[in-house]
Amino acid sequence: MREVGLLPEFASRFPHEFSGGQRQRIGVARALIMEPEFIVADEPISALDVSIRAQVLNLLNDLKAKRGLTYMFISHDLSVVRFISDRIAVIRAGRILELAETEELFRKPLHPYTQALLSAVPYPDPELERNKQLIVYDPKEHERPGEELLWAEIAPGHFVSGTKSQIAEYRLHY
């Protein structure tokens, strides 16, 4: 309990007596009691307010370093994913479209869907936010039924899914 920031005397409380952040910490503690190496965290902070989100994310990062944990962190919030992840897989309709180390993916997104997702991440600067160019992904333009999809390494550790011609285009743009 202490490792996740809760007092041991909280163990006798009822679930309704805890805040959302405390409940998340309890969930983390319950997972840690099994001494895992790998934890699947599906939208672990989506229902929390901003300040509590930061606390839980910092806790997860501290535990990752301290215990050598690996997370599969599932989220729609790319700024959060960027903060906590070493590598990111971009998934659409159950298919991985792009996989790269975090900063590589943010610096050089290749797949049009990844580009559209990253263009939607809000900037904290109102002037930049007002002038940013939003990319809209249209699957009709990029998905080619009947053509074989390939999984290709465009740069070391940077993989993308596409047809043979799309892969050639990604390589050219890289």
Side-chain angles (χ1 to χ4, degrees), residues 75-83 88 90 105-106 109 113-125 128-135:
S75 179
H76 290 86
D77 187 336
L78 291 175
S79 57
V80 169
V81 171
R82 187 177 198 174
F83 177 76
I88 297 175
V90 176
L105 187 86
F106 274 80
Y113 183 71
T114 305
Q115 293 170 357
L117 285 177
L118 293 178
S119 78
V121 174
Y123 294 125
D125 180 332
L128 287 175
E129 181 66 20
R130 188 174 11 261
N131 296 321
K132 81 175 178 183
Q133 186 70 27
L134 192 63
I135 299 170

Side-chain angles (χ1 to χ4, degrees), residues 21 30 51 55 59 76 79 85 103-104 106 110-111 113 116 130 134 171:
R30 290 178 68 193
S51 63
Q55 291 175 16
L59 171 66
H76 290 86
S79 57
S85 301
E103 291 310 312
E104 168 76 6
F106 274 80
L110 296 173
H111 197 281
Y113 183 71
R130 188 174 11 261
L134 192 63
R171 283 195 161 98

Side-chain angles (χ1 to χ4, degrees), residues 26-86:
I26 291 167
V28 172
R30 290 178 68 193
L32 292 176
I33 200 74
M34 300 305 295
E35 297 185 10
E37 294 176 8
F38 182 81
I39 294 176
V40 177
D42 189 356
E43 296 283 358
I45 59 165
S46 62
L48 304 175
D49 67 45
V50 176
S51 63
I52 302 302
R53 281 177 176 218
Q55 291 175 16
V56 172
L57 285 172
N58 287 330
L59 171 66
L60 292 173
N61 265 340
D62 292 346
L63 291 169
K64 180 171 68 169
K66 183 175 165 185
R67 288 180 167 239
L69 294 171
T70 299
Y71 298 122
M72 177 185 288
F73 193 91
I74 303 165
S75 179
H76 290 86
D77 187 336
L78 291 175
S79 57
V80 169
V81 171
R82 187 177 198 174
F83 177 76
I84 199 150
S85 301
D86 298 320

